Amino acid sequence: MMLAVAKALMSLATCCLGESRRDWAFAMQGEFDAAIEEGCPLTFAAGCLIAAWREMPRQAEGRLVLANYALALGLLLPMAVLQFTHAIGVILLFIGQVGPGGLLSSGGTQNPYLVWSQLSAAPILLMLWLLLGVGHLRLAWVLVDRDWSSVVKVGALIGAATVTLFTFMGVLFLDVGSLISHAAALAFEFAAIIAAARGQARLVLAASPDLLAW
Amino acid sequence: MVRNRRPSKQMLLLLDALSAHAQQWRHGYDLMKETGLLSGTLYPLLMRMTDQGLVEAEWREPAQPGRPARHAYRLTAAGLALALNVATPAAISSSKVALA
């Protein structure tokens, strides 16, 4: 069990060191066997992980990884929570615990036909908010994983879901005020992701100058 | 690159261990045992000293088949000069013996 944990810590340390320090990751891995023979693999592996963490801010690749984690934990996950909160609001509306007044735009009248339409559209709104929440969780995951093709796909899905939500709420005369701040946050989020992607592209080009010739 | 600042206590320990047998290649784990430094301190130090040209590293074939290759380290001429510069008189005499 202790050996399995130590091996997991060594793998994590290797991941954290990145390509620029790959040799050092192998060097640590090479000494890991000696640590196992001496009976202290866990202490050695924990130290290697600490060494990798200490090294991360010093390397461009490490800084990018840290920036991606900061973006995922500081922006994308709170956005996901916000969207799930909106989804819960729609569920409460649907099960009748709150009236649609909370969602109506200011000065809106309580036209029974409109209220009926709004309540009928609640499942679609719920689905869209849930899609946005799950989309943000997935976006955080693929961003940390630096799977840029998935980042583009999930980003496009979030953009499409936001436009659809905006259209639906506008047609149903629901309060789109919250969506405006949501769209602003989304724009900021996408700008940060594009900056991260550009940072990654610069790193790749720096690592393989041959690519510049293409 | 020449360091202007006085080396840290940990770096002095490592310089001392490496300069004791200056021509000998040393493995990371042996250095850990000799200096008492933990891997979390030793490896960042070795990385920094290699980047600064104070330590050279090379891959060594494993002693037993099936084992991974091991990184071995020794001081460069600049590293040895620094070690002699900052070392205590007792350490200097032992370094000279090792070089002889």
Side-chain angles (χ1 to χ4, degrees), chain B:
Chain B
M1 202 174 109
V2 179
R3 284 177 63 98
N4 295 322
R5 283 186 304 155
R6 183 166 169 77
S8 63
K9 200 175 79 178
Q10 291 88 349
M11 189 173 169
L12 286 174
L13 276 171
L14 189 56
L15 280 170
D16 208 27
L18 286 168
S19 64
H21 305 283
Q23 296 302 309
Q24 199 180 324
W25 290 94
R26 310 288 305 276
H27 289 126
Y29 200 80
D30 302 335
L31 287 171
M32 275 177 61
K33 283 203 290 188
E34 189 174 332
T35 58
L37 296 174
L38 295 174
S39 51
T41 307
L42 179 78
Y43 279 103
L45 210 49
L46 283 172
M47 287 180 206
R48 206 78 52 246
M49 288 169 75
T50 307
D51 292 346
Q52 291 168 354
L54 300 173
V55 166
E56 57 184 330
E58 73 168 34
W59 287 103
R60 287 298 176 94
E61 287 302 312
Q64 294 167 349
R67 292 285 177 85
R70 292 178 78 179
H71 230 196
Y73 314 93
R74 73 176 180 188
L75 288 177
T76 59
L80 192 57
L82 177 69
L84 293 174
N85 206 21
V86 297
T88 56
I92 290 170
S93 60
S94 73
S95 295
K96 283 178 182 167
V97 169
L99 279 170

Side-chain angles (χ1 to χ4, degrees), chain A residues 2-65:
Chain A
M2 195 173 75
L3 188 61
V5 174
K7 281 182 179 169
L9 292 182
M10 285 303 291
S11 302
L12 194 56
T14 304
C15 290
C16 290
L17 278 170
E19 283 303 318
S20 57
R21 291 292 197 191
R22 185 64 62 207
D23 259 16
W24 287 97
F26 289 138
M28 291 173 180
Q29 205 75 49
E31 297 306 305
F32 185 55
D33 278 5
I36 294 172
E37 278 170 14
E38 294 280 331
C40 52
L42 197 58
T43 317
F44 181 81
C48 289
L49 184 58
I50 292 167
W53 282 342
R54 286 175 66 180
E55 198 54 27
M56 280 178 89
R58 297 176 203 267
Q59 303 295 319
E61 192 186 352
R63 284 195 292 273
L64 183 69
V65 169

Side-chain angles (χ1 to χ4, degrees), chain A residues 7-214:
Chain A
K7 281 182 179 169
L9 292 182
M10 285 303 291
S11 302
L12 194 56
T14 304
C15 290
C16 290
L17 278 170
E19 283 303 318
S20 57
R21 291 292 197 191
R22 185 64 62 207
D23 259 16
W24 287 97
F26 289 138
M28 291 173 180
Q29 205 75 49
E31 297 306 305
F32 185 55
D33 278 5
I36 294 172
E37 278 170 14
E38 294 280 331
C40 52
L42 197 58
T43 317
F44 181 81
C48 289
L49 184 58
I50 292 167
W53 282 342
R54 286 175 66 180
E55 198 54 27
M56 280 178 89
R58 297 176 203 267
Q59 303 295 319
E61 192 186 352
R63 284 195 292 273
L64 183 69
V65 169
L66 290 177
N68 285 350
Y69 271 97
L71 185 58
L73 295 173
L75 185 62
L76 298 182
L77 292 189
M79 281 289 282
V81 170
L82 187 68
Q83 281 142 7
F84 285 127
T85 312
H86 278 292
I88 290 167
V90 175
I91 292 170
L92 293 178
L93 169 71
F94 191 59
I95 61 174
Q97 288 199 8
V98 294
L103 288 173
L104 280 171
S105 55
S106 55
T109 52
Q110 296 266 346
N111 182 324
Y113 295 109
L114 186 58
V115 170
W116 180 83
S117 304
Q118 287 166 343
L119 287 173
S120 305
I124 298 167
L125 293 176
L126 172 66
M127 199 182 71
L128 285 168
W129 280 117
L130 285 177
L131 184 68
L132 280 171
V134 172
H136 272 82
L137 290 180
R138 177 77 185 142
L139 187 61
W141 183 269
V142 292
L143 180 71
V144 165
D145 208 23
R146 287 186 284 170
D147 177 358
W148 298 106
S149 64
S150 297
V151 167
V152 171
K153 283 179 199 162
V154 179
L157 177 75
I158 289 173
T162 305
V163 170
T164 309
L165 191 63
F166 216 109
T167 310
F168 254 94
M169 288 180 75
V171 165
L172 293 168
F173 295 103
L174 290 168
D175 185 11
V176 290
S178 63
L179 267 189
I180 291 168
S181 57
H182 177 81
L186 209 59
F188 177 72
E189 192 180 292
F190 284 164
I193 290 171
I194 289 167
R198 286 169 70 96
Q200 174 77 22
R202 273 197 297 273
L203 270 181
V204 171
L205 286 176
S208 50
D210 295 349
L211 284 174
L212 286 170
W214 289 84

